[in-house]
Amino acid sequence: MTPKDGPVSAGSDRDVAAQGEEAEALRRERDLLSAVLHTAGALVVVLDCQGRIVRFNRACETTTGYSFKEAKGQTPWDLFLVPEQVPAVRAVFEQLRAGQFPNEYENYWLTKDGRRRLIAWSNTALLGADGAVEHVIGTGIDITERRQAEAQRDATLEALRKARDELEQWVKERTAQLENANRILEEEVVERRSAEEALRETEGHLRSLMESAERYAIFRLAVDPTHPYGLRIVLASPSLKELLGISELTDVSTWIGNIHPDDLE
């Protein structure tokens, strides 16, 4: 600057320098925030007060398959939401815009290839100089696999509970069946013992009768399919030897051989 241009103000130079430093500081801060935004593992989306996307980090791009260039200027409910969840999500956005923040919400986002991803959102808002909401910031975590694992866990636990209940019922029923079978068996044992005792008494009386009988032939036969004549001698009084002239009382063939031919017809 030449002298004819007039004197140079030192204060003006300082103001220009200060403004340059402030601009540089703002640029560095913006770059830092942008780096943090893009390297964050969580999904981060920034909406203007009309719900249009103005920032969309790399995690959002990876999850949805859409680039920031494709998403910029569009609303989440037009691009990502399943139709049945649009009214509820828009209601949440209106609450944020009305100053009701922060809040949390879960909803599905549709990816570019049509898959559903369940996102858990933590939402807040940035206010302008006039106190009105200028931007809504949503930070989300993809919990699709976690919820699927929880659902699988719950299904497995339910299946185990059902199997346990069925096993307990089976054991209860089987125990009742065994107790009933044991009771029946005990009753049969008692009845058999009584029958055997009665049979022994009857055989004893019969044996005594046979041993004392001298003029009578007393015998008892049983059906025996294995014998040629189909009969088996169970009991025979000793007097049969003398009365019938039979030496062997236990062989039914001897009996048959001593029957008169006319009586065999």
Side-chain angles (χ1 to χ4, degrees):
M1 180 175 292
T2 61
K4 66 178 182 178
D5 293 326
V8 177
S9 170
S12 297
D13 289 342
R14 287 194 297 271
D15 291 341
V16 171
Q19 291 175 0
E21 291 175 358
E22 289 177 0
E24 179 61 21
L26 288 174
R27 184 188 65 77
R28 288 197 301 268
E29 184 177 355
R30 183 175 63 251
D31 291 344
L32 175 62
L33 291 175
S34 180
V36 172
L37 178 69
H38 285 295
T39 57
L43 287 75
V44 180
V45 59
V46 181
L47 310 178
D48 64 16
C49 61
Q50 301 303 315
R52 295 183 294 260
I53 296 172
V54 296
R55 298 298 297 268
F56 190 75
N57 76 340
R58 190 165 292 113
C60 288
E61 293 178 327
T62 301
T63 299
T64 65
Y66 290 95
S67 66
F68 173 55
K69 184 177 180 181
E70 293 173 301
K72 185 178 180 180
Q74 301 198 58
T75 63
W77 39 87
D78 289 335
L79 189 60
F80 303 123
L81 296 190
V82 294
E84 61 269 24
Q85 291 187 334
V86 169
V89 173
R90 295 200 66 165
V92 171
F93 176 76
E94 291 301 327
Q95 293 172 4
L96 290 164
R97 197 167 68 164
Q100 300 178 31
F101 58 85
N103 66 23
E104 296 180 351
Y105 193 72
E106 293 180 8
N107 63 274
Y108 285 100
W109 267 21
L110 283 175
T111 65
K112 196 171 185 179
D113 58 7
R115 293 176 295 113
R116 288 190 178 200
R117 307 299 298 180
L118 183 60
I119 312 298
W121 293 102
S122 296
N123 304 307
T124 189
L126 296 177
L127 305 180
D130 58 356
V133 172
E134 284 190 350
H135 294 93
V136 170
I137 303 174
T139 304
I141 299 174
D142 188 341
I143 59 173
T144 306
E145 282 73 21
R146 187 178 78 188
R147 285 300 171 83
Q148 289 174 349
E150 290 173 352
Q152 182 62 40
R153 179 202 62 195
D154 292 343
T156 301
L157 290 176
E158 180 61 27
L160 289 174
R161 281 193 293 267
K162 183 178 179 181
R164 181 202 61 194
D165 293 343
E166 290 177 350
L167 179 59
E168 289 178 351
Q169 182 63 26
W170 180 85
V171 170
K172 183 178 179 181
E173 293 175 355
R174 185 59 178 164
T175 300
Q177 291 173 356
L178 291 175
E179 290 176 349
N180 185 58
N182 286 336
R183 180 183 56 79
I184 294 174
L185 181 60
E186 290 174 356
E187 292 175 353
E188 291 179 349
V189 169
V190 172
E191 291 176 358
R192 183 175 298 176
R193 287 176 179 173
S194 299
E196 290 175 350
E197 182 64 27
L199 181 59
R200 281 194 295 269
E201 291 180 0
T202 300
E203 290 178 348
H205 293 318
L206 184 58
R207 187 174 293 106
S208 297
L209 178 61
M210 288 189 296
E211 290 175 351
S212 62
E214 297 180 357
R215 300 179 58 187
Y216 301 94
I218 301 173
F219 60 90
R220 181 180 176 188
L221 301 178
V223 176
D224 186 354
T226 63
H227 197 279
Y229 295 100
L231 297 172
R232 176 172 54 85
I233 299 172
V234 178
L235 291 172
S237 64
S239 60
L240 282 173
K241 291 183 179 181
E242 296 179 3
L243 293 174
L244 302 178
I246 301 174
S247 60
E248 181 57 53
L249 297 179
T250 60
D251 186 4
V252 74
S253 301
T254 305
W255 292 44
I256 300 298
N258 284 276
I259 298 176
H260 194 278
D262 294 339
D263 294 332
L264 294 173
E265 296 181 357

